[in-house]
Amino acid sequence: MCVKKDECLFLLIFFSGVFLANLLKYKAGDFCRILNIWILEQFVYSSISVERLFWQLLWKRGKLALLFFLSGKWCGYAVASTVLLCFLAGTFGFFLAMAIADLGIRGIAVAFAGLFPQMFMYVAAVLWCRFCGKNREKYRTPVCNWKILMRQMMESMVFYGVAVILVAGGVFAEAYINIPILKMIVKNF
């Protein structure tokens, strides 16, 4: 069985997130319960402005996406996507361990419901940039041919357009689809 270096790295970072959550849980005791039953019951019966949530998430995720695009342009999308996927794996490991520690086996359902539709879009955006983005070029000579220049400009517009659509789709899924799914999961367990 051949395992790639990236897969080992993601697994290591995931378990580092799990270890960090357990370490914080051990040090802080019951004071760091982020997913207790009372908070989840308040979430189920609360009213959330979905439009406001959408714009707030677009602002927060947009800043991260811009940072990712700039770092991908600077050091190559292979390196930037590996760093971002490691961050996502560590965050998921931390969140999953905290959910299980606070809610028991029900925490698995809450953790997956909390990440369900939007994570597909975010990971798809990162993988799109990793496999379709150009890695760092040492130096590119200026092009005076209009056809080549227009082709390069169209390639860039399509590349960034698809990435922005995937990120915006993830934000839409997080704001409009995730909230009812999470409320349904929390209400029925």
Side-chain angles (χ1 to χ4, degrees):
M1 182 168 104
C2 180
V3 178
K4 294 182 181 179
K5 289 186 286 188
D6 288 348
E7 292 170 356
C8 290
L9 181 66
F10 298 148
L11 195 61
L12 178 70
I13 297 295
F14 172 78
F15 284 120
S16 297
V18 170
F19 176 73
L20 180 65
N22 287 319
L23 185 66
L24 287 176
K25 195 72 172 165
Y26 175 73
K27 289 285 184 192
D30 271 350
F31 298 115
C32 70
R33 295 183 64 123
I34 58 172
L35 291 173
N36 63 23
I37 298 297
W38 185 83
I39 291 173
L40 289 176
E41 286 177 357
Q42 294 298 319
F43 169 73
V44 168
Y45 298 108
S46 66
S47 174
I48 296 172
S49 172
V50 181
E51 292 82 18
R52 186 171 175 203
L53 178 65
F54 174 78
W55 292 111
Q56 185 178 10
L57 287 172
L58 188 64
W59 174 248
K60 291 188 180 291
R61 304 299 186 259
K63 290 188 289 187
L64 183 64
L66 180 64
L67 179 67
F68 172 68
F69 291 146
L70 291 175
S71 64
K73 199 71 170 153
W74 176 63
C75 65
Y77 285 104
V79 173
S81 64
T82 301
V83 170
L84 189 59
L85 287 174
C86 284
F87 173 73
L88 291 175
T91 304
F92 179 64
F94 181 84
F95 182 62
L96 184 63
M98 291 300 274
I100 291 171
D102 288 341
L103 300 172
I105 199 72
R106 296 177 294 181
I108 296 172
V110 171
F112 278 103
L115 299 172
F116 169 59
Q118 74 269 16
M119 198 50 64
F120 291 124
M121 301 295 275
Y122 294 147
V123 171
V126 172
L127 293 177
W128 167 261
C129 291
R130 180 182 184 115
F131 295 116
C132 296
K134 294 180 180 174
N135 284 321
R136 189 172 180 203
E137 298 174 5
K138 294 188 188 262
Y139 178 74
R140 195 165 69 180
T141 58
V143 177
C144 294
N145 188 348
W146 281 100
K147 288 182 180 180
I148 295 173
L149 188 63
M150 291 302 282
R151 184 178 54 84
Q152 288 175 348
M153 192 166 50
M154 287 302 292
E155 286 175 358
S156 293
M157 286 175 50
V158 167
F159 172 72
Y160 288 116
V162 169
V164 166
I165 287 171
L166 286 171
V167 170
V171 169
F172 179 81
E174 192 169 359
Y176 287 95
I177 299 171
N178 187 312
I179 300 298
I181 291 173
L182 194 56
K183 283 185 177 186
M184 180 186 69
I185 293 291
V186 170
K187 188 184 261 186
N188 291 327
F189 80 83

